[in-house]
Structures are given as C-alpha cells and as structure tokens.
Amino acid sequence: QVQLVESGGGLVQTGGSLRLSCAASGSILRIGTMDWYRQAPGKRRDLVAVITRAGSTNYADSVKGRFTISRDNAKNTVYLQMNSLKPEDTAVYYCHAGVYLRAGDMPGDYWGQGTQVTVSS
C-alpha cells in the first residue's frame, strides 16, 4: 500500500509564502513524475506544477515565477514553494505521483488527501 501525505498548508496574507511537502511511503520501487494540483470550491481540479524524476519542471501560467516545485528522490518527497501568494491561489492542494511497485509494471496513480491553502486579502 502506498500513501501520500501532504503538509504545510495554512492561512497566509496576500504576498506571503508557504511551502507544501508531500511524502510518499509504502512498498515503493521508485516514483516517476510527481505533481501538485489544486481545487477551489466549485471549480475543477487543475494542474499547478509537475516535476519528472530527472528534475524537469513545468508550471501553470498562473503560477509561473511565483511557485517552485522540487523533489528529493531519496526521501520520496515533493515540495511546492509558493511565494507572492494571491487570494486566487486559495484552494485545496493535492499531490499526485506515478508510483512503480514492481519492476516491469506500469506506474500506478496515487493521490494525497489534500491540504488547504487560504490567502487572505
């Protein structure tokens, strides 16, 4: 069984910063791509940032230049550093990972439980 556990959410004022973490645990062979998504009330879940195992990154236009995704492969952990936060960044943030359990298998999709980020104006 694989678990992804997020932490680091909270309440912050406009212009502030937060750092989210997501640690994967369980019978993991290796982890491929890791992502952060977010979902605001009444809206769909949108991709925020993605990082490959090799460290290549990509970002949604709305967060480019403000958010930075990184990972520690030895710790099976992905991070999201969020700077210059805006009220429109308010959402539940979810981490997602493609996890290989056994050699030769396709990666399985695993999600964290979500962490609330609230940016006050």
Side-chain angles (χ1 to χ4, degrees):
Q1 191 74 345
V2 175
Q3 282 191 315
L4 272 62
V5 179
E6 298 115 335
S7 61
L11 174 65
V12 64
Q13 292 185 330
T14 296
S17 298
L18 284 173
R19 188 189 193 214
L20 306 183
S21 300
C22 173
S25 62
S27 299
I28 297 169
L29 178 63
R30 75 179 185 278
I31 301 177
T33 299
M34 304 183 83
D35 323 294
W36 285 98
Y37 286 74
R38 67 185 181 188
Q39 187 168 20
K43 296 190 176 182
R44 68 181 186 186
R45 188 174 298 187
D46 287 329
L47 180 64
V48 174
V50 58
I51 185 167
T52 67
R53 184 170 179 82
S56 296
T57 60
N58 204 0
Y59 298 91
D61 287 343
S62 59
V63 306
K64 281 181 181 177
R66 299 188 298 123
F67 290 11
T68 302
I69 189 171
S70 61
R71 64 189 286 171
D72 184 332
N73 290 332
K75 295 181 179 180
N76 288 335
T77 299
V78 62
Y79 306 96
L80 186 68
Q81 177 67 43
M82 305 185 293
N83 299 328
S84 303
L85 283 161
K86 306 175 181 179
E88 51 264 43
D89 295 318
T90 295
V92 178
Y93 284 70
Y94 298 90
C95 70
H96 165 264
V99 180
Y100 296 84
L101 301 182
R102 292 174 297 191
D105 284 355
M106 295 295 291
D109 287 317
Y110 293 88
W111 291 87
Q113 81 285 357
T115 185
Q116 177 70 46
V117 171
T118 303
V119 184
S120 63
S121 57

